[in-house]
Amino acid sequence: MIPAAFDYEVAESVGHAVSLLGEREDAKLLAGGHSLLPLLRLRAIRPSLIVDVGRLEELSYVRDAGGTVAIGALTRHQDVATAPLLQEHNPLVSYVAGLIGDPQVRHRGTIGGSLAHGDPASDLPAVLLALDGEVDVAGADGVRTVAAVDFFTGVFTTAAGPREIVTEIRVPKLGGGHVWSYLKFHRRAQDWATVGVAAVAERSNGGVSNAAIALVNMGATPVRATAAEAAWNAGEDAGAAADVGTEPPTDTNASAEFRRHLARVLVGRAILEALAG
Ligand code: FAD
């Protein structure tokens, strides 16, 4: 279908984007367009103004920020996947960015768009949640920082308001003692996850500590599998506890019960893979 008519503006800076967003209540940002354009074409949304931030070079970077790696919101998935800084300090993020969609999607889609879209089936939100990352959001009152745990608020909704723009994402540097894995079950190659698992922990006294496990598509937002984390820290069967406290959806890809099964299997496998790596 052809999208409903809209006005189109190209933002020349973050400040300009914020000011354009302030002009219309229903204005929408356009980054890589790989989630927005399908919604426009389905006429699921009909914004009267599109603010194109896709050319804001100032938001495309991967930088060393001391204890963290800072990633500009307009950094394309392909650039996240191949950034040497991430490959060295947080290979979980670069590995997962390289699993998103196909080469065309990875060369257009951005990390900021992926997070701001708030799709519980997306890969990077769960990774950010497992890593306790942070998101910077700019609006008329300046920039505020939102912890990953507070950022994802529901299906297609986040803590970023309609007049705000996500500007930067920060993830911790993982030391040499960290182990990690990301596993995703999908029915077709290059598709969204039916269920995905991001797992990270520190090796400690023959086991692990500070285990973090986040699940894709096991609720309205990415969710931490806290019972499985506790079990992994204790050297117990984390897979068996993977779906505790989750509310997975039933849709055309899988029933809620099958998703629970997938979560239990994938968490067990992710832990084995992390420890083997
Ligand atoms: P856009 O589509 O431009 O925007 C998406 C939403 O976020 C819009 O509401 C927009 O207004 C808002 N937005 C964008 N940037 C910002 C910002 N900086 N601040 C605030 N709001 C912003 N994703 C996966 O995780 N895994 C997959 O396997 C996967 N497969 C895909 C396969 C196909 C065929 C396609 C088309 C997409 C796939 N995606 C997948 C989604 C892809 O990663 C998208 O690129 C991503 O979800 C959105 O990023 P974008 O830059 O394209 O955002």
Side-chain angles (χ1 to χ4, degrees):
M1 211 190 301
I2 296 171
F6 54 80
D7 293 331
Y8 172 83
E9 297 277 0
V10 176
E12 284 158 14
S13 65
V14 170
H16 188 209
V18 169
S19 127
L20 288 168
L21 284 176
E23 284 180 9
R24 306 250 187 108
E25 241 172 48
D26 65 344
K28 270 293 206 186
L29 291 173
L30 170 70
H34 270 60
S35 294
L36 186 70
L37 290 188
L39 291 177
L40 290 175
R41 289 176 64 97
L42 290 167
R43 298 203 175 191
I45 55 169
R46 297 165 179 237
S48 67
L49 173 64
I50 296 282
V51 178
D52 189 346
V53 290
R55 300 170 209 187
L56 281 184
E57 286 300 316
E58 66 187 272
L59 290 187
S60 177
Y61 57 83
V62 177
R63 285 185 198 139
D64 194 322
T68 62
V69 179
I71 309 167
L74 265 291
T75 312
R76 315 253 172 214
H77 300 319
Q78 179 68 15
D79 296 329
V80 172
T82 55
L85 255 181
L86 284 167
Q87 287 173 340
E88 180 182 355
H89 293 297
N90 201 316
L92 172 59
V93 174
S94 50
Y95 174 75
V96 174
L99 292 182
I100 293 174
D102 53 37
Q104 191 179 358
V105 173
R106 292 197 288 276
H107 279 87
R108 291 302 304 165
T110 65
I111 185 168
S114 187
L115 300 178
H117 188 49
D119 183 348
S122 290
D123 298 293
L124 288 171
V127 170
L128 191 77
L129 186 66
L131 290 168
D132 286 322
E134 290 178 335
V135 181
D136 277 356
V137 181
D141 297 330
V143 178
R144 62 194 178 97
T145 298
V146 184
V149 67
D150 299 321
F151 188 74
F152 305 102
T153 52
V155 179
F156 299 131
T157 56
T158 69
R163 294 175 182 211
E164 292 182 311
I165 171 169
V166 173
T167 52
E168 183 174 283
I169 295 93
R170 285 181 299 282
V171 292
K173 289 181 178 171
L174 302 180
H178 281 86
V179 297
W180 60 269
S181 169
Y182 185 81
L183 293 179
K184 148 177 183 176
F185 179 91
H186 45 187
R187 293 171 62 193
R188 301 174 303 186
Q190 305 170 340
D191 214 344
W192 282 264
T194 303
V195 172
V197 172
V200 60
E202 288 176 65
R203 283 193 195 276
S204 150
N205 300 325
V208 300
S209 60
N210 296 320
I213 299 173
L215 305 173
V216 180
N217 231 346
M218 287 294 287
T221 63
V223 286
R224 287 283 288 261
T226 50
E229 292 172 352
W232 193 10
N233 282 329
E236 293 163 4
D237 182 359
D243 62 320
V244 173
T246 63
E247 292 179 24
T250 290
D251 57 28
T252 49
N253 284 320
S255 66
E257 195 43 48
F258 183 48
R259 282 197 161 88
R260 288 182 182 281
H261 169 75
L262 283 174
R264 292 191 291 261
V265 171
L266 290 177
V267 164
R269 287 186 191 164
I271 288 172
L272 288 177
E273 184 177 271
L275 295 174

